[in-house]
Amino acid sequence: MLHLATGTVIRVLERQTGMQVLEVKLSRQEAGSLQTQKAISFAREEYSPGDNLLLNTTALQLQLGTGGFHLVVGKSAGEVDSDVAPSEWGHIMKMRYSPWQLAVDAVEEQASPFHELFLQADLTLEGTPVLIGELHSLLPPAVLALKEKHPQLRIVYVMPDAASLPIAFSQHVRQLSRAGHLTATVTTGHAWGGNREAVTIHSGLLAARHVEKADVILCMLGPGVAGTGTAYGFSGVQLAEVIHAVSALGGTPFFIPRISFADQRSRHYGISHHTTAILGRFALAPTIVTLPVLGDERDCLIEQQAQAIANSSAKHVLVRGKAPASERLKALEQRHGLSFSTMGRSWEVDCVPFQTAVLAADMLGKSMQSGKLAANGEPRLPVSSGTLEALGLYLTRNEEQP
């Protein structure tokens, strides 16, 4: 299904870097529909009341959770001959061969000033820690927890393409970047709009480290993931590839498991089946997995479910730590300026996902103090499975328990 409609601009509601929100009126209003609706444009062009638009209305036709927005394809009246997404040297196409393909300035390509860097066959992440997670909503607490205890860190967000493609759609990224908590962003695959563009997750991670000089890399899916209720067809499967890339490139992978006790769907209660599928079956290289200790009967379920991860042939390193207090979540949310919510639930209703993200950030920060991972340009040791085990032991011995 690809549903298109024409509409008219009523007014511009919001202008942000890389995105505009418009109030529009569809040419053909369906019975019971709102008189005016909202549409998002990712093009760099001016809109005025009365402009005629071609709109992609598919998501709202299917009643999907897109935030209630149509997507602007372009202006539909008069002659059009303009570049609405200008690039400097780019000829790498993202969203290739779709009607919305665009050329971007990829860091690896021949005309890029960084091309020589990517000709190095032995380029690595030099042990750089990479925090990996499925839910975009957990990006702010993880970033803020890191900056809270390590304000000097250069944190770079790498966004793969299994969920939202335009990074401008993320209010969290915009807020974190504006506040200086994120040093830079990199969009990989067919995702686009980051400070740097990369063709693959591998070169995106390397760009974060060597172009943007990241001390810590966060790699989480963008907003708008897809799921089918199966252990195969969900956006998070891509994170197994991310773990493999981090491992192959000599980085240090940390994984935020998806845990909730407010989601009443059995497959997402406790440790989500998404996490156990990614780590228990699809990931073939080890990662450090942080598990919160809640101090009540929920810990028993987490331990039972974690066996599928612990028994994986990848030999993941499970590290447990006391769940951060709710007061800290509240303070981090206030610092962020936007509410913490996941799957439509606030952190007050569903605090464990956010506690898990903050714990993972804390563990990563502590690992950098262990002497095995160093920040601020200091030498980093090559990362091996033995290094992960040593880090896990160090973190376990130095973590407070309830």
Side-chain angles (χ1 to χ4, degrees), residues 62 80 130 217 220 393:
L62 294 174
V80 177
V130 182
I217 299 170
M220 298 185 186
L393 184 60

Side-chain angles (χ1 to χ4, degrees), residues 5 44 46-47 67 70 76 88 110 135 150 162 208 246 250 257 259 266 296 316 332 339 364 373 376 388 400:
R44 299 182 200 174
E46 294 293 325
Y47 298 100
H70 299 305
S76 63
E88 185 176 350
Q110 290 86 341
L135 298 177
H150 310 277
V246 174
I259 306 177
S266 60
D296 55 36
H316 302 299
L332 291 175
S339 61
L364 187 153
L373 299 175
N376 300 324
L388 292 186
E400 177 187 358

